[in-house]
Amino acid sequence: MNRRTAFTLLELLLSISLMAAIAAVVIPNFTMMLGDQRLSRAAQQLQIEMTRLRLDAMRQGRVMVMDAALDANVLKTRPYFSMSDAVETTDTAGQQSSLMMGADQASVVAMPLPTDADTEMTVELPEAVVIESVQVVSSARSLTIAQQSGDVVAGASPSGTAQSILFYPDGTTSTAAVVVFLPEVGRISVRLRGITGDVTIGEMTAAEISP
């Protein structure tokens, strides 16, 4: 008596239906899990960069700036250069030579400041993660810097406008909150406390599902 080794059409259809049902449950959950990881990684990147900029500001003795543009997936960081920095960066040897030759100290010309292209660093967030909102509390120091550089440092910015978060040499920072968003997954808020410079990551909030 011969044994049947093939599957019947009904058995194949049942197997395919079962596999499709399993895939319908597993694939969305797997995709959501990957999205959760990307969103969490973006929040951690923000936390690391904010901590690094605070330490750089303290080590270098100058204000450091983080520019965060809405609806973008990149952050830009740079040192802030004031006009006094131009005088301080004047070549010391050249200045001393001029003075020894009888030149008036006031006649020594300051060196030009470095451009943003020379000092700016770009940090890219994980794929599809964007900056949804940036809130920066204004202060007397931030307003002074804003007037000198033309930066936006307080309030809410229109889409595409960069908000500047400041890190000071004394270890304090702007008080700010940055929300990173991944469509169909959710959002996470990263908060920076100005007095202490502490950076905290909030809980993930699920994205609203349109009807």
Side-chain angles (χ1 to χ4, degrees):
M1 183 176 180
N2 295 330
R3 294 184 177 180
R4 182 172 61 86
T5 58
F7 294 101
T8 66
L9 180 60
L10 179 59
E11 289 173 334
L12 288 174
L13 291 174
L14 288 174
S15 299
I16 292 172
S17 299
L18 181 60
M19 292 174 62
I22 294 174
V25 174
V26 172
I27 291 177
N29 289 339
F30 182 70
T31 302
M32 184 67 70
M33 182 178 67
L34 292 179
D36 289 352
Q37 291 178 349
R38 292 207 306 272
L39 193 57
S40 297
R41 193 161 68 249
Q44 291 168 359
Q45 273 186 278
L46 264 175
Q47 184 182 44
I48 291 170
E49 284 303 312
M50 287 178 174
T51 302
R52 180 186 66 80
L53 285 173
R54 177 172 177 261
L55 293 175
D56 284 350
M58 295 170 68
R59 280 196 297 259
Q60 298 179 26
R62 69 165 68 252
V63 176
M64 301 297 291
V65 184
M66 171 183 283
D67 295 321
L70 302 187
D71 301 323
N73 73 328
V74 295
L75 301 165
K76 294 183 178 180
T77 66
R78 56 188 169 85
Y80 167 73
F81 292 100
S82 65
M83 291 307 298
S84 62
D85 291 322
V87 177
E88 293 172 1
T89 55
T90 302
D91 181 69
T92 305
Q95 182 178 11
Q96 290 178 347
S97 298
S98 299
L99 293 176
M100 290 177 65
M101 294 175 64
D104 192 295
Q105 185 170 2
S107 68
V108 179
V109 179
M111 298 293 288
L113 294 175
T115 64
D116 286 345
D118 298 328
T119 59
E120 190 175 78
M121 293 180 58
T122 299
V123 179
E124 187 172 351
L125 299 177
E127 182 183 0
V129 178
V130 297
I131 298 169
E132 184 180 47
S133 67
V134 182
Q135 295 289 335
V136 183
V137 178
S138 62
S139 65
R141 287 191 294 183
S142 67
L143 290 174
T144 299
I145 291 175
Q147 292 172 355
Q148 294 177 354
S149 62
D151 290 337
V152 179
V153 296
S157 296
S159 178
T161 303
Q163 280 268 71
S164 293
I165 302 172
L166 306 178
F167 301 80
Y168 301 104
D170 61 5
T172 61
T173 67
S174 296
T175 295
V178 181
V179 177
V180 288
F181 175 68
L182 180 59
E184 300 181 1
V185 175
R187 55 182 54 82
I188 298 179
S189 176
V190 181
R191 297 183 177 276
L192 177 65
R193 187 179 182 190
I195 297 176
T196 61
D198 290 337
V199 187
T200 57
I201 299 176
E203 296 292 330
M204 184 182 301
T205 304
E208 296 83 2
I209 300 177
S210 301

